[in-house]
Amino acid sequence: MDMQEPMRSHLATLPCPTFTSSPWVSGPPLSQRRVAIISTAGIHRRSDRPFEAMAGDYRVIPKECTAGDLVMTHLSTNFDRTGFQQDWNVVFPLDRLRELASNSSIGSVADYHYSFMGAAEPAEMEEAARKLAGLLIGDHVDAVLLVPV
Amino acid sequence: MGALAHYLEAEGLPTTQISLIREHTETIKPPRALWVPFELGRPLGLPNDPAFQRRVLLAALELFDLPEGPVLVDFPDDVPEQAVDARDSLDNLACPVSFAPLSQEKTETEKLLSAFRSEVTEFRSWYDLGLNKRGYSAIAYFSPDAAGRLLIDFVQEEPLQFPEDISSPAAALRFAAQDLKAFYYESVLSRPDFALPNTSEFNRWFWQKTAAGRVLKAVREICLHSNDEQLRMTGGMLLVPLDQA
């Protein structure tokens, strides 16, 4: 699907960080991995705090969450939300992940998943990301799936 | 997104990601990425198509089995074009401003707000039916009536009432706008007299044909001329999409 103007030009002007290193961590086969989702769609539990500022903060989404538990308070008006309204898996594929665990395509689903609001500056997310790393390792996660919006 | 991958991988966590903007991913070079040709907002491609979503998900996860990187792989398939053109049936749903009870004393703004109230009332029963059927709604904070009331109060320069956990009038307006749009979409989903619109058709209809879209544009204009910096930013960027402003 070709992206339409003026969105294409807008995105082209967004700051895009570069990195001098290329970190690469190996692990077991996919069928043995424990997978967590990190979304940047600005989704969170209905009872949690909305995303109000581009501060790089995150929200926790426990694996028991269902479609009706999550809402989206992302700042941007420039992406489609109707897909999420029809089916949360088009943004946050937790049901699909559970199915992959059931048929042993992956090892297991993490207890906790996380959400950022992607409009935040990448540098703002760095501190939170490093904190998340400890939480994910504590949850025995060895496969993180990052899903944009 | 790619920056998060760098930070996490540097902390010892293997990552893979879906990419919606290939150019950004080519620049950031995260360890593993699957580029998908889908529209923004739909990283897994198709709602209510578990088999398609599973293919996308597995394609991203199977990058973990590659021996070295960084790798950027293209997902081979776009989503199928929606065959049904919903334009005509959608356009018949909106309450044109001229349908409002006309009165010579009414200003243009009053006519617009009157049409808006009628529209919300008409759509409400379809929204409620959909809510009962699905058991949940994407609406986060403002019921349709509350969203309508907040936006009308703002246009009429009345004091705004919103939940305590929302920090500012600017945030309240943004959430009300999002919830109102969710309400319209969920209402349309429930009606028997139209086919499911694609995203661009829904957006065209909502922003160009409904009284709600015109009210939000009126709110935007007021925000742009406000003394409140947050309101100006909200009006400038966060109420109306770039391609509809």
Side-chain angles (χ1 to χ4, degrees), chain A residues 57-108:
Chain A
D57 48 335
Y58 69 86
R59 306 287 183 270
V60 184
I61 302 174
K63 71 174 179 184
E64 298 81 13
C65 261
T66 59
D69 297 329
L70 291 189
V71 293
M72 181 184 280
T73 57
H74 198 293
L75 278 173
S76 175
T77 57
N78 293 307
F79 64 86
D80 173 62
R81 293 171 191 244
T82 64
F84 175 73
Q85 285 176 251
Q86 294 174 62
D87 175 11
W88 69 326
N89 288 290
V90 82
V91 168
F92 188 71
L94 189 55
D95 290 331
R96 298 293 85 80
L97 208 55
R98 290 182 184 123
E99 292 160 9
L100 294 185
S102 296
N103 69 19
S104 302
S105 295
I106 63 171
S108 60

Side-chain angles (χ1 to χ4, degrees), chain A residues 1 46 52 85 96 99 149, chain B residues 41 54 78 134 139 167:
Chain A
M1 175 173 290
R46 198 173 284 276
E52 292 205 31
Q85 285 176 251
R96 298 293 85 80
E99 292 160 9
V149 78
Chain B
R54 204 154 34 236
D78 202 344
R134 283 154 54 94
I139 284 177
S167 64

Side-chain angles (χ1 to χ4, degrees), chain B:
Chain B
M1 192 89 268
L4 271 177
H6 269 273
Y7 300 141
L8 291 171
E9 199 98 9
E11 294 290 319
L13 277 158
T15 63
T16 187
Q17 74 166 87
I18 293 174
S19 160
L20 284 163
I21 306 170
R22 202 177 199 289
E23 294 87 341
H24 286 189
T25 307
E26 287 169 355
T27 302
I28 298 173
K29 294 185 174 61
R32 304 166 194 82
L34 175 76
W35 176 74
V36 294
F38 313 141
E39 69 179 303
L40 299 184
R42 299 185 170 200
L44 275 291
L46 279 172
N48 301 315
D49 190 334
F52 190 92
Q53 294 170 358
R54 204 154 34 236
R55 281 186 55 217
V56 178
L57 183 57
L58 268 175
L61 291 173
E62 283 170 355
L63 301 180
F64 282 122
D65 286 336
L66 296 178
E68 58 187 18
V71 287
L72 171 56
V73 173
D74 291 348
F75 189 72
D77 301 321
D78 202 344
V79 295
E81 289 286 328
Q82 270 184 295
V84 180
D85 185 350
R87 178 180 296 245
D88 292 341
S89 56
L90 264 182
D91 284 356
N92 289 334
L93 300 186
C95 260
V97 175
S98 57
F99 279 15
L102 291 174
S103 158
Q104 290 189 340
E105 291 80 40
K106 283 197 169 183
T107 65
E108 291 302 311
T109 300
E110 285 167 341
K111 288 179 195 171
L112 172 61
L113 296 181
S114 177
F116 177 46
R117 289 189 192 94
S118 300
E119 214 172 62
V120 171
T121 301
E122 189 209 335
F123 278 48
R124 183 59 193 260
S125 56
W126 292 111
Y127 167 80
D128 287 342
L129 283 171
L131 181 61
N132 287 337
K133 192 171 173 184
R134 283 154 54 94
Y136 65 91
S137 163
I139 284 177
Y141 296 99
F142 290 92
S143 71
D145 290 343
R149 193 161 52 243
L150 185 94
L151 296 168
I152 288 171
D153 284 348
F154 184 74
V155 171
Q156 294 183 319
E157 300 181 356
E158 299 286 339
L160 300 187
Q161 295 182 348
F162 49 85
E164 285 182 356
D165 56 346
I166 296 177
S167 64
S168 66
L173 287 174
R174 179 166 69 83
F175 294 142
Q178 288 175 357
D179 284 342
L180 187 73
K181 200 171 160 191
F183 160 63
Y184 272 64
Y185 188 71
E186 290 176 24
S187 303
V188 165
L189 279 183
S190 300
R191 296 180 67 121
D193 57 350
F194 88 108
L196 183 66
N198 64 31
T199 310
S200 59
E201 273 308 309
F202 175 75
N203 278 328
R204 184 194 63 81
W205 169 75
F206 181 83
W207 290 108
Q208 297 179 22
K209 298 291 182 182
T210 70
R214 294 183 204 183
V215 167
L216 287 176
K217 287 181 179 177
V219 169
R220 175 179 185 271
E221 283 303 309
I222 297 169
C223 284
L224 288 175
H225 296 94
S226 169
N227 294 324
D228 181 328
E229 186 183 344
Q230 284 187 318
L231 284 178
R232 285 201 305 277
M233 190 185 86
T234 298
M237 298 173 62
L238 306 179
L239 289 178
V240 181
L242 285 173
D243 60 355
Q244 302 291 343

Side-chain angles (χ1 to χ4, degrees), chain A residues 14-17 54-57 116-126, chain B residues 3 7:
Chain A
L14 290 179
C16 207
M54 291 187 263
D57 48 335
F116 289 85
M117 185 176 68
E121 294 286 332
E124 294 278 1
M125 292 188 190
E126 181 171 0
Chain B
Y7 300 141

